[in-house]
Amino acid sequence: MKKQFPALLLALSLLLSIPAQAAQTAAFARSRSYDGSFSDLTPDSPFYDNVAALYEYGLASGKEDGSFGLEDTLTVGQAVIFAGRVRSLYRTGEAEAAAAYRRENAPAALAYLRYLQAEGVLEPEFAEEPASLYQPASRAQIAHILAGVLPEEALPPVHDELVAAAYATRRFIPDVNETTPYRQDILDLYRKGVSVGSGASGAFRPGEPITRGAAAAMITRLADPELRVRPQWDLADLPSAAGTTLADLVEPGSYHISPANQEELESSLRHMLSQGNEQIVFYYPLLSEAEARRLMNQALTVIKAHCEQGYNEVRCTRGAGLLTLSFSAAGAGNRTQEYRTAAMEAAIAVHDRLWAEGALRSDMMELDKARVYYDWICANCAYDYQAGDDSLSHIPYSLFANRTAVCDGYTGAYNLLLKLEGIDCSTVIQGDHIWTMATLDGTEYHIDTTWGDSGNTVSYDYFAMTPQYSRTVHAQQSA
């Protein structure tokens, strides 16, 4: 037989199952109907629905002259009063919980301020001087006052990813940056549908005073989900390298089973890399041991010219005239492919983030883009002075994952980023040092990210060098 719950327990279980959105709706019930009493508010007014809602929620009754004061400047104290009433309505169902904080001969706004401070909405030092309550509120200040009025379950960040990407490009919310007062509170209003700013770029105008009409829009969006807004920003044109593979970054070659010269060897190895393979088979029935070793070393040199691929070691097996070359990363063991994949994913993330942040733009020359990546490499890596021959610091993975590398790790990671940008690049190998050779806007340059990373600063002495100057400098440094 099905067990029956007592009516009281059933009612309690139903009450506890009410979602936060329903609880908020119950707290913000409109207690009266707007009757057109504000003389300056007409159905054509841009904030008509918001001001009417403010009245119906019992949050405002207008001014003594019968107007709402749509274009009047809102003071800090008035913003605090509105915020206190919203918080009280949410917490108690009544708008005037701050009454308990009123003191004789003290400004009314001070009671709401003390209430919000007791609730943890505003910090104790906010508006320490009572006189500041009579000052016009800036748009940044009201963002700070409103941002913590409701908990996240009542006011969730529904546009989080959209706002993060839009803000990062610097094409949207352009007048808010790291130095803007209450920057995080401003962005929270965008994330939660309380603000979309103004104009196509969604500018917030943080330093400007806010009108009572504009403030009414923000305040009522706290209370009523139906009044919340969504930014209409198009981010579809942001480039993404997602889905690109290491094999995609290699110009395909043709496979020659018995390469007769350096050109055919390079073409065969490009074919291997462009197919995503780590192994290639050649047929030389009369090859001596010394000749096989020479061929193996030649092949490794070719592969190191593609150091973004993460291979720097080769093994050779022979039998029945077949010579099999297997490439890997020294010190990686059987994890070479794992490290290659991780490096590629990290490089794609860097590429996409720099575009999203606006550091890279479509109107930039290739030289400018190469400099952005040069800066990123130098800022995000330290030279690994402890690296041995089998250290992972010789491959791009270490730079992205461990933030340490030596010259082939630096160059491999840098070339990987450049190739994601569609920039043609290779390497220059001189002795035990390696650096980048890139064609930027039709001109060949040499770029040495290893030497450019000079510790606490970035040296541009080794960026965009002419080939002649580069060889001179490297010869002098190596002498």
Side-chain angles (χ1 to χ4, degrees), residues 266-327:
E266 291 179 0
S267 180
S268 297
L269 291 169
R270 289 203 316 274
H271 176 81
M272 178 197 78
L273 293 173
S274 68
Q275 296 299 305
N277 297 329
E278 61 193 77
Q279 193 175 81
I280 192 167
V281 178
F282 294 132
Y283 180 66
Y284 291 104
L286 303 177
L287 207 63
S288 69
E289 188 68 31
E291 290 171 329
R293 182 165 297 279
R294 185 164 53 251
L295 178 63
M296 181 177 69
N297 290 333
Q298 288 175 325
L300 184 58
T301 300
V302 172
I303 290 298
K304 285 185 175 180
H306 297 273
C307 57
E308 78 282 350
Q309 294 290 319
Y311 294 130
N312 58 17
E313 186 177 64
V314 61
R315 289 182 298 106
C316 175
T317 57
R318 300 179 67 188
L322 298 177
L323 185 145
T324 303
L325 301 180
S326 302
F327 298 93

Side-chain angles (χ1 to χ4, degrees), residues 53 74 126 145 183 227 295 357 367 387 409 423 431 478:
L74 190 78
F126 185 83
I145 293 168
R183 174 180 70 100
L227 293 175
L295 178 63
E357 291 172 353
L367 183 66
I423 292 174
S478 300

Side-chain angles (χ1 to χ4, degrees), residues 255-268:
Y255 174 58
H256 302 269
I257 192 168
S258 304
N261 51 46
Q262 183 70 18
E263 183 181 347
E264 289 187 355
L265 176 63
E266 291 179 0
S267 180
S268 297

Side-chain angles (χ1 to χ4, degrees), residues 67-147:
S67 70
F68 178 76
L70 280 174
E71 298 301 323
D72 293 352
T73 298
L74 190 78
T75 67
V76 172
Q78 290 168 342
V80 166
I81 290 173
F82 280 126
R85 286 173 177 166
V86 173
R87 176 72 178 188
S88 175
L89 199 58
Y90 175 78
R91 296 273 280 119
T92 70
E94 300 290 339
E96 298 299 338
Y101 293 84
R102 287 182 181 150
R103 299 292 182 268
E104 190 174 353
N105 298 323
L110 199 57
Y112 291 90
L113 175 62
R114 299 291 177 255
Y115 169 66
L116 291 173
Q117 289 170 333
E119 289 283 303
V121 174
L122 292 175
E123 63 275 16
E125 61 272 18
F126 185 83
E128 286 183 300
E129 295 296 328
S132 65
L133 295 172
Y134 297 96
Q135 298 298 316
S138 69
R139 291 173 60 84
Q141 282 178 310
I142 196 167
H144 180 60
I145 293 168
L146 298 181

Side-chain angles (χ1 to χ4, degrees), residues 310-314 327-337 339 388-395 397:
Y311 294 130
N312 58 17
E313 186 177 64
V314 61
F327 298 93
S328 60
N334 59 4
R335 301 181 66 185
T336 294
Q337 297 308 318
Y339 291 142
D389 291 342
D390 61 351
S391 171
L392 293 179
S393 288
H394 290 279
I395 61 174
Y397 168 81

